[in-house]
Structure formats: C-alpha cells, structure tokens
Amino acid sequence: MTDALVIGAGPAGLMAAEALAAAGRRVLVVDAKPSPARKFLMAGKSGLNITHTGSNFAAAYPEVWLAPVLADFGPDAVQDWCRGLGQEVFTGSSGRVFPVVMKGSPLLRAWLARLDAAGVELRTRWRWTGFSGEGFAFDTPDGPVVLHPAVTVLALGGASWARLGSDGAWVPMLVERGVKVAPFQPANMGFQVDWSPHMARFFGAPVKGVALCVDGTRERGEFVVSSKGLEGGGIYAMSRALRRGAALRLDLLPDLTVEAVAERLARARRGDTVGARLRKLGLSSVVVALVQEWGRPLPDDLAPLLKALPVPLTGPRPMDEAISVAGGVTHAALTEGLELRALPRVFACGEMLDWEAPTGGYLLTACLATGLWAGRAAAG
Ligand SMILES: Cc1cc2nc3c(=O)[nH]c(=O)nc-3n(C[C@H](O)[C@H](O)[C@H](O)COP(=O)(O)OP(=O)(O)OC[C@H]3O[C@@H](n4cnc5c(N)ncnc54)[C@H](O)[C@@H]3O)c2cc1C
C-alpha cells in the first residue's frame, strides 16, 4: 500500500512531499505532465519572484484564515529555504525577492535532487482521473492504476495556463464527493480594449510613470498596450476590483496637481497641435495616443482629462491567460490542517484552494506555505 501520495508536482505539492518525507513517510508524487513544476519554470522565465518583503505582506491576502499558515512559512522562511537549496536571493527596490540567477530551473533541480535523496519517488504522466471506490484512479503510461494511500495531498493547481498542467479538471471529481469548490475566476489578468486601427503601431509599447485609479485606490504602475488590450503588473494589481466592474482612470501626470498641469498647458505656443502640447508635458508617444484614443472629443481644458483619463475596458482576458485564479476549494470545506472535511485523510494545498493574492511573490509564497502546512498535517 502507498504510504503518502501527493498528486500534483508544482511548488505546493513538492513542498508537501518534503514535509511528509521529513516526517519519515514514504512519499510518492505523481503528475499528469511529462515533467514536474512546469508553471513554476514558466514563472521563472520573466524572473522568478519567489516572495515579497515589507510591512504590508499580510495585507496582500484578504483571506484571514491564511494568516497562521503564512506566519509559519513567510518571506524570511522562503528566502532561507532558497538559500538552503544553494540559491542566493536578492530584494528588488519594490520589496520583490528573486533568486540571483532569476530563473526557477536551478532551484527546481536542487529541490528535486534533495527530494530524491530523501526517498521521495516522482512519477510523471500519471493523470488522476477520479475515484475508484475509496482508491485514487490514474491513467499512466502502463495503463490504469488505482492507489489506496494512507494519506493523500492534492496539489492540483488552479485553472489557468492549462498547457502547463493546471487545467481544473479535478473540480467535478471533488464536487461529486461533496467538496465545496467556489467557481474559478481569472486573477492577475489583462483586460480587453476595443482599439481603433490607429493604435496598432503602439502594440507592445510600455506605459510608465502613470498612476492607476480604481475605487478610490491610487497606485503607480506600469502596463503594456497589446493588440488585445492592456496587460502587465499595474493592471494585474487592480484586477480584483476591475473584475467586479470598477472603473479605471489613469493619472498621466501623477507628480503634478491639476492646476500645475493647466499652468504648463497654458505655456504652449499658439498653433501647437494637441499632440505637440501633450508631448511638451513630457508624455510619451503611446500616452499621447491613449489620450487621443480615449479622450475624444477632446475638451478645451485638457488638465482634468490628463489627471483622470477614463479607460474603457470591455472585460477580462480569458482565464487561461491569467497569472492566477480566484476560487477553488473553499475554506469551509477544509479543517485547520487543510484536510478535506468530506474526504478524511485527503488534504489540499496551493492554488487549488480559494484564496487570491497579487503578483509580487505572494502567489508562490502561499503555495509553498500551504504545501508545507498540509504536508505536516498529513504526516501527523
Ligand atoms: C506566466 C506566469 C508567471 C508567474 N510568475 C510568478 C511569480 O513570479 N511569482 C509568483 O509568486 N507566482 C507566479 N506565478 C504563479 C505561480 O506560478 C502559481 O501560483 C504556482 O505555480 C501554483 O502552484 P501550485 O503548486 O498550487 O500549482 P501548479 O504549479 O499549477 O501545479 C499543479 C500541478 O498539478 C498537476 N495536475 C493537475 N491536474 C492533475 C491531475 N488530474 N493528475 C495529476 N496531476 C495533475 C499539474 O500538471 C501541475 O504540475 C506565475 C504564473 C504564471 C502563469
């Protein structure tokens, strides 16, 4: 009989496996894909933001039930854990923490080697397809297999970037066993904009030095104009409120008051085009184009428009493009040890649980922390 089974070899599942092995359990980790942690490696492509330092860390997670889990394995512990795997880290100006090498692959290689040395067995191309009586049924390269582990940790991920493994196909399998799962929604995602044809030459252009204003919140942020709409960190940071229908406005000159903007505009020469007047304020070509795209008909007094340019978003981009998801196994469906109330001896962790956090290292930190928490509880 399998002693401890972990289904899903992303960061949450591997951390659960590490905790189980440390407690002396014989651990088998299985994953549907041909290799483990594909989303983790993808995250490393643009710089693996592993955690976040700073006093407002806990505030990034609205779900209060996560607090003890994150207190147990928070930013300091994540950094120590990276160093323990031979990966030095550094903290960027915004409090974001990265491995010095930026990529996830050296960290993952070292982690898999350590797990292997601890006796953890990893099998890939094992897809969990549902329950067979009390057993877990799999499609494997050698045909169907049913396992009856003493304890199981599910770490199946959310429901975005399905090609990396997290396809959300597990939802009906748990729901039919009485586990409550909140519907998935995109999180940290881009938004659609119906552009007029003249914007095409700005696709791919970054917008910097602006503030995004949503629901009384005002944050400096950067984003990119794409053929589909807007994407990037500044937009992701506001995505929770925008998903609920809040309006977005841009302050294009966040260091100036509206009066100061008006005063600078008044210095323009007679005969200057609107574009020339805007460029003289230091606005980039793409920002000037956005004013002309969204500000029409342009008012005589441009200052209030430049301080609060309305952004006509037409909805979120599809969930599969989202960095993460909201929704998943609800808190009410879990015990304090992240055991499924409806399925004793089965635990769950990582992005498949119903919590939401911004980008900036908060996602991986919560996946690692819940993996450790569930693994320890399962071992106990
Ligand atoms: C482009 C991109 C960049 C990102 N950058 C960052 C970043 O810099 N910092 C950060 O904090 N977060 C980042 N994230 C988010 C982060 O990668 C995820 O939150 C994290 O990987 C989720 O971990 P997890 O272990 O819960 O799930 P996953 O990493 O999704 O792993 C789940 C695993 O379960 C397996 N699985 C699913 N269903 C089955 C099944 N039926 N049978 C067997 N196996 C199954 C999958 O194959 C997969 O390997 C990024 C995400 C994306 C898409």
Side-chain angles (χ1 to χ4, degrees):
M1 178 167 135
T2 306
D3 183 23
L5 173 67
V6 177
I7 312 180
L14 294 178
M15 197 53 134
E18 187 145 57
L20 283 157
R25 294 295 198 133
R26 263 185 307 110
V27 189
L28 171 64
V29 181
V30 300
D31 198 286
K33 301 304 280 184
S35 60
R38 291 189 162 205
K39 193 179 263 188
F40 181 81
L41 291 176
M42 176 59 77
K45 285 218 161 156
S46 50
L48 187 74
N49 186 188
I50 192 85
T51 192
H52 200 289
T53 57
S55 51
N56 59 352
F57 177 78
Y61 302 91
E63 294 80 10
V64 284
W65 62 268
L66 270 177
V69 180
L70 292 163
D72 188 52
F73 196 77
D76 291 341
V78 172
Q79 293 176 71
D80 288 344
W81 172 80
C82 288
R83 291 188 194 105
L85 286 165
Q87 293 304 305
E88 199 40 66
V89 293
F90 74 95
T91 305
S93 54
S94 58
R96 292 168 182 243
V97 179
F98 301 86
V100 169
V101 293
M102 294 303 272
K103 297 184 290 185
S105 43
L107 187 66
L108 181 63
R109 256 196 315 275
W111 195 10
L112 291 174
R114 189 162 82 184
L115 289 168
D116 185 57
V120 174
E121 196 184 334
L122 172 65
R123 290 194 201 150
T124 52
R125 295 193 166 95
W126 274 51
R127 168 167 285 279
W128 178 44
T129 53
F131 293 95
S132 171
E134 293 306 301
F136 289 81
F138 295 90
D139 275 346
T140 81
D142 301 320
V145 171
V146 176
L147 296 181
H148 293 269
V151 288
T152 305
V153 179
L154 302 176
L156 299 158
S160 71
W161 289 66
R163 69 176 192 275
L164 303 178
S166 46
D167 55 15
W170 51 268
V171 173
M173 305 194 287
L174 291 187
V175 168
E176 75 163 22
R177 288 295 174 113
V179 178
K180 249 190 120 96
V181 180
F184 282 121
Q185 298 181 74
N188 296 305
M189 68 295 196
F191 281 79
Q192 287 173 190
V193 175
D194 291 335
W195 298 116
S196 64
H198 90 269
M199 282 300 293
R201 71 192 176 99
F202 295 103
F203 293 162
V207 175
K208 300 180 179 185
V210 302
L212 293 93
C213 311
V214 176
D215 267 354
T217 311
R218 193 170 180 284
E219 270 182 38
R220 299 268 185 149
E222 296 181 7
F223 57 87
V224 174
V225 169
S226 79
S227 60
K228 312 272 173 53
L230 305 180
E231 55 193 64
I235 292 291
Y236 301 161
M238 298 294 187
S239 60
R240 190 181 173 116
L242 296 176
R243 188 180 67 215
R244 293 174 179 161
L248 171 64
R249 285 179 181 266
L250 297 180
D251 181 348
L252 304 175
L253 293 157
D255 294 322
L256 299 177
T257 62
V258 69
E259 293 78 14
V261 175
E263 197 258 319
R264 291 196 185 192
L265 283 165
R267 289 185 211 155
R269 272 189 302 187
R270 279 184 63 208
D272 272 353
T273 63
V274 169
R277 291 170 71 200
L278 295 178
R279 274 190 292 278
K280 281 183 182 169
L281 291 172
L283 298 178
S284 64
S285 305
V286 61
V287 171
V288 171
L290 291 178
V291 174
Q292 293 179 326
E293 175 80 354
W294 293 330
R296 291 201 176 278
L298 291 174
D300 292 337
D301 181 4
L302 285 170
L305 182 68
L306 302 183
K307 291 293 290 175
L309 180 69
V311 181
L313 302 174
T314 58
R317 293 291 306 150
M319 189 152 65
D320 199 45
E321 293 175 16
I323 296 292
S324 62
V325 290
V329 174
T330 61
H331 177 228
L334 299 161
T335 68
E336 205 184 317
L338 304 182
E339 186 174 12
L340 297 173
R341 291 183 192 281
L343 291 169
R345 294 181 298 106
V346 181
F347 297 73
C349 57
E351 209 182 306
M352 69 180 290
L353 305 184
D354 183 15
W355 53 268
E356 184 174 359
T359 55
Y362 300 106
L363 298 164
L364 283 174
T365 301
C367 290
L368 295 168
T370 54
L372 183 65
W373 190 271
R376 280 187 184 151

